[in-house]
Amino acid sequence: LINPKVQELADAGAWAGCERCRRSFSSVFMANLTLFQTVVAGDAWGTMAIPVCENNPELAVVFIGSLMTLVFGVLNLIVAVVLDNFADNRQKDVESRAFDMELHEVEEKK
């Protein structure tokens, strides 16, 4: 899907100084490596993704989809950690209140 468009851009001289750009989507491994470099590391966003998106706007869905998946994945992990901490604190609070109520009940019986 992306490789033929990348080859057209490489033939047109879009990446004259980039040796890796022509083969960036030539195989599944190279495509994954390129998406990792572009989306996760942010290294080649301007080098690789912008020329592809400018010449083929429909392919922006691939790059934006990858970026949004990563962003929401990380956000989901952060929210999970925060909620887990809140749940632990709530459980400790419930246990503390139960202990205080038992202690108060014992004192009333005396």
Side-chain angles (χ1 to χ4, degrees):
L1 179 70
I2 297 176
N3 190 45
K5 305 296 183 182
V6 169
Q7 295 305 317
E8 289 174 15
L9 286 170
D11 290 340
W15 301 291
C18 181
E19 167 213 325
R20 186 184 177 283
C21 292
R22 177 178 283 281
R23 57 187 167 85
S24 60
F25 289 96
S26 61
S27 67
V28 173
F29 174 74
M30 293 301 287
N32 283 325
L33 187 62
T34 302
L35 285 174
F36 179 82
Q37 179 186 12
T38 302
V39 175
V40 177
D43 284 351
W45 190 254
T47 305
M48 207 51 233
I50 291 177
V52 172
C53 293
E54 283 177 346
N55 289 303
N56 303 290
E58 68 277 3
L59 294 179
V61 173
V62 174
F63 291 103
I64 293 171
S66 299
L67 181 63
M68 296 309 288
T69 301
L70 176 79
V71 166
F72 285 120
V74 171
L75 181 63
N76 192 21
L77 289 174
I78 292 170
V79 169
V81 168
V82 168
L83 288 178
D84 190 47
N85 285 334
F86 281 146
D88 287 344
N89 288 338
R90 183 174 189 272
Q91 182 62 33
K92 289 176 186 175
D93 188 43
V94 168
E95 291 170 0
S96 175
R97 284 186 176 190
F99 179 75
D100 289 345
M101 288 176 69
E102 287 178 14
L103 187 62
H104 182 68
E105 195 174 297
V106 168
E107 288 177 359
E108 283 183 353
K109 287 183 181 179
K110 287 184 182 180

